[in-house]
Amino acid sequence: MASKKKSSVKKKTTPSAAKKKAAPILETIELFKRYYPDAHCALNYTNPFELLVATVLSAQCTDERVNMVTPLLFKKYGTPQKMAKAPVESIEEIIRSTGFFKNKAKNLKSCATSLVEKYDGKVPKDLESLVQLAGVGRKTANVVLGNAYGIASGIVVDTHVSRLSNRLGWVKSENAVIIERELCAEVPQEDWVMLSHYLISHGRAICKARKPACSHCFLEETCPKKGV
């Protein structure tokens, strides 16, 4: 007796069952430009040195707290020359509420001293020189170069940028160095500086860490919502 052949009919995959691809980067950036036209660096500063100091202080600290501390700090020690001569205990007292204040104060004084001795009191305009300064890593250097000088040296990766770039399917890593490298390979260089501001704005307004407001998001149709 002949055996029955198994049906070769394939099951259809419904759109809802299909796995969403990563959100289109260029289209997403254009939407960010439309929805966040006023996106900018949240740290208050009036010159490259003030931005450098504020960014160093922002490590493990909110921008809001840094902005509460810097007015007095800049009033007393607003130039590399003044900060280099400042008693480290005085700097510590002013920045105490930013956390890790002893290490930050030591780094700020050392950084200011290097600026005076090596760069005539000016903040250098290249990443290699900046990362040699005390307390300055690649992220801080990118912030200063991009926002104070308009130089797109890389993409600033903070917690918002890391979270959103993963949720959007643009990267699959929690490592800031890897995330920056992969984003820089896909994002036009003219958008490097602003991308972090857009992602930070979106992360604060909509795509929050614990409860993202996906139903109110203008990226709902294209975002794969990875990890949500």
Side-chain angles (χ1 to χ4, degrees), residues 15-188:
S16 59
K19 190 174 182 180
K20 271 191 178 182
K21 296 180 180 179
I25 290 182
L26 298 182
E27 292 177 26
T28 301
I29 292 175
E30 288 306 310
L31 286 171
F32 282 150
K33 291 177 181 179
R34 185 192 309 172
Y35 282 89
Y36 302 112
D38 300 320
H40 63 281
C41 179
L43 296 169
N44 296 333
Y45 66 97
T46 61
N47 57 58
F49 178 66
E50 289 185 357
L51 179 58
L52 177 60
V53 170
T55 308
V56 170
L57 291 176
S58 70
Q60 304 298 315
C61 181
T62 65
D63 293 341
E64 291 79 9
R65 170 55 58 182
V66 172
N67 288 337
M68 292 171 65
V69 165
T70 49
L72 177 58
L73 183 65
F74 294 158
K75 183 178 180 180
K76 295 191 70 173
Y77 311 120
T79 67
Q81 291 80 0
K82 289 181 180 179
M83 190 164 289
K85 294 178 180 178
V88 70
E89 295 81 10
S90 179
I91 300 175
E92 287 178 359
E93 187 59 33
I94 296 172
I95 69 170
R96 182 179 294 270
S97 63
T98 66
F100 304 98
F101 65 93
K102 286 187 175 294
N103 194 48
K104 288 180 181 179
K106 181 179 69 174
N107 283 336
L108 287 178
K109 184 175 174 68
S110 176
C111 177
T113 300
S114 295
L115 291 178
V116 172
E117 294 178 349
K118 298 179 181 179
Y119 303 103
D120 195 29
K122 295 180 176 62
V123 177
K125 295 183 179 181
D126 64 284
L127 189 142
E128 291 74 18
S129 297
L130 281 169
V131 296
Q132 297 301 316
L133 299 171
V136 179
R138 185 178 177 86
K139 174 184 169 184
T140 297
N142 282 336
V143 170
V144 173
L145 291 172
N147 294 279
Y149 294 129
I151 298 173
S153 58
I155 294 174
V156 175
V157 179
D158 73 344
T159 54
H160 292 288
V161 175
S162 176
R163 182 175 74 253
L164 269 67
S165 57
N166 271 279
R167 284 182 177 174
L168 290 166
W170 294 349
V171 300
K172 296 179 180 178
S173 175
E174 300 296 328
N175 184 294
V177 175
I178 295 174
I179 292 173
E180 182 185 2
R181 182 173 65 240
E182 293 184 354
L183 288 179
C184 285
E186 299 296 331
V187 176

